[in-house]
Amino acid sequence: MVCIARALRRSLHKAAVANEKLAAVRSGAILRITGRSWRVKIPNSEQSTESEIFMKIKMNAGLSAADLIQMAGVRLEGLTGGAAGAANFKGQFEVKLAVDISGSFEDEWRSGVVAQLVLRAGAAAHLLDSDGAVDIMAFNTKVTPWGSVKMATTDVAKWLKEKQQTIHWGGTAFAPILSACAPNLVSGVAVKASGLFAGLFGSRQESAPVSTRGSKGTVVFILTDGDSQDGSECSKLAESQKDAGIYYMFINVDQLARTAAQLSAKYDFIGHKHFPKLSQMSDEEVFDSLLSGELMQWMQKRLS
């Protein structure tokens, strides 16, 4: 009887897995969300067959934007001594998010991992940004502005999926990000700028409109999976931005971004957290990296 019961349980389990996979093929959605692993079935547009991408992670993909904003709030309060302390930081900065669209990050994009990272960075940004919106840009060897998103009211996963259809995968370069976030400083030379992320996309001869957002400074979260191919230019730009009022936080998965690590070791306005494996990235660890002690110290100095 025991053997029959075990065989029945195995049979039922196999049937459940088969139904789960069938649903995924029909919807293209995540097969399984346990907080520990995802199974994703990705249609291949160039072939009639389909390929599977299996990624083990700790992030809980079932959390809503409201849940993530609450988690970010708990982290912020923990760093600032409670709700009263956290209130001093909320809405005081302009926050931008730069997302890697290099070819090596394609699997993470297609599996939905990048969307989950963006949601968490967006939750942290929602608390700090002066209007609760995030200016999102994609980058490989150049920067493409994607617009401003209200994380609390936007279906970010759907929005990213639409943007993903326009991606042209490329290499990885960090210098364009540094230039885009400080368009009036290029290798230490002050220039005029126009429009959002000017200096890369518009004439440097036109005057930029005065922004009232982020009067205390700018925080830039950078999600990447590899090293930059323009380290020397990054060093020059970083040196020119020591007093620019910008903090760069690199969230680095997979391959070590040595350029980011070196810049972080040298400058107190650049942070870097490396996750060699996706399976190491729990929600708590991601928020601890986004809202790091070093970032809090930098923001405290900007507020004082």
Side-chain angles (χ1 to χ4, degrees):
M1 291 297 293
V2 173
C3 293
I4 294 175
R6 287 177 179 173
L8 180 59
R9 284 198 297 270
R10 284 196 298 269
S11 178
L12 290 172
H13 174 71
K14 289 181 179 179
V17 170
N19 288 334
E20 203 171 36
K21 289 186 176 181
L22 179 60
V25 171
R26 289 173 176 170
S27 66
I30 296 171
L31 296 184
R32 186 168 163 232
I33 302 173
T34 65
R36 295 289 178 181
S37 64
W38 294 356
R39 288 183 168 186
V40 185
K41 192 105 173 175
I42 306 298
N44 188 325
S45 60
E46 298 179 357
Q47 301 177 10
S48 59
T49 59
E50 293 182 326
S51 59
E52 285 187 348
I53 298 174
F54 296 90
M55 295 185 178
K56 291 184 177 181
I57 67 167
K58 288 185 178 179
M59 291 183 293
N60 184 351
L63 295 175
S64 67
D67 293 331
L68 294 171
I69 290 170
Q70 184 176 14
M71 287 185 70
V74 170
R75 169 63 178 171
L76 184 61
E77 290 180 10
L79 287 168
T80 57
N88 294 325
F89 293 85
K90 292 182 178 180
Q92 297 297 315
F93 299 87
E94 181 177 5
V95 186
K96 302 178 188 292
L97 175 59
V99 189
D100 193 333
I101 55 169
S102 62
S104 60
F105 220 19
E106 185 175 358
D107 282 352
E108 285 79 2
W109 265 100
R110 295 190 182 282
S111 70
V113 170
V114 172
Q116 293 302 316
L117 289 174
V118 170
L119 280 167
R120 282 148 183 78
H126 175 81
L127 299 179
L128 302 176
D129 195 89
S130 56
D131 64 359
V134 190
D135 294 328
I136 299 183
M137 50 184 156
F139 75 94
N140 39 47
T141 53
K142 64 179 182 179
V143 170
T144 303
W146 275 356
S148 185
V149 175
K150 289 270 191 179
M151 290 291 174
T153 57
T154 303
D155 185 340
V156 177
K158 180 180 179 182
W159 185 84
L160 285 172
K161 192 170 184 179
E162 292 172 354
K163 292 295 184 182
Q164 185 178 328
Q165 305 308 311
T166 68
I167 291 177
H168 298 286
W169 309 104
T172 306
F174 299 151
I177 304 169
L178 273 63
S179 295
C181 293
N184 61 320
L185 287 173
V186 179
S187 296
V189 180
V191 296
K192 292 182 179 180
S194 63
L196 184 64
F197 307 132
L200 286 181
F201 315 107
S203 170
R204 294 177 183 168
Q205 305 305 313
E206 301 175 19
S207 298
V210 177
S211 174
T212 57
R213 288 184 61 199
S215 60
K216 299 300 183 181
T218 300
V219 177
V220 184
F221 295 125
I222 302 170
L223 308 180
T224 186
D225 77 326
D227 201 9
S228 175
Q229 60 191 54
D230 56 356
S232 60
E233 181 64 17
C234 288
S235 297
K236 293 177 183 178
L237 288 166
E239 185 66 24
S240 74
Q241 295 184 25
K242 289 188 292 186
D243 299 314
I246 304 173
Y247 188 96
Y248 298 96
M249 181 65 224
F250 287 85
I251 303 298
N252 170 202
V253 303
D254 198 11
Q255 178 187 348
L256 175 65
R258 296 186 183 279
T259 298
Q262 291 167 358
L263 292 175
S264 176
K266 185 175 182 180
Y267 299 104
D268 62 2
F269 62 93
I270 299 178
H272 173 252
K273 176 63 177 180
H274 181 215
F275 292 95
K277 297 181 180 179
L278 287 168
S279 58
Q280 297 175 332
M281 300 182 72
S282 67
D283 292 312
E284 292 77 11
E285 288 169 313
V286 172
F287 280 119
D288 286 354
S289 300
L290 289 166
L291 298 172
S292 65
E294 291 81 3
L295 171 58
M296 299 307 298
Q297 291 176 9
W298 179 88
M299 290 192 296
Q300 183 63 63
K301 290 179 182 179
R302 299 294 302 178
L303 292 172
S304 59

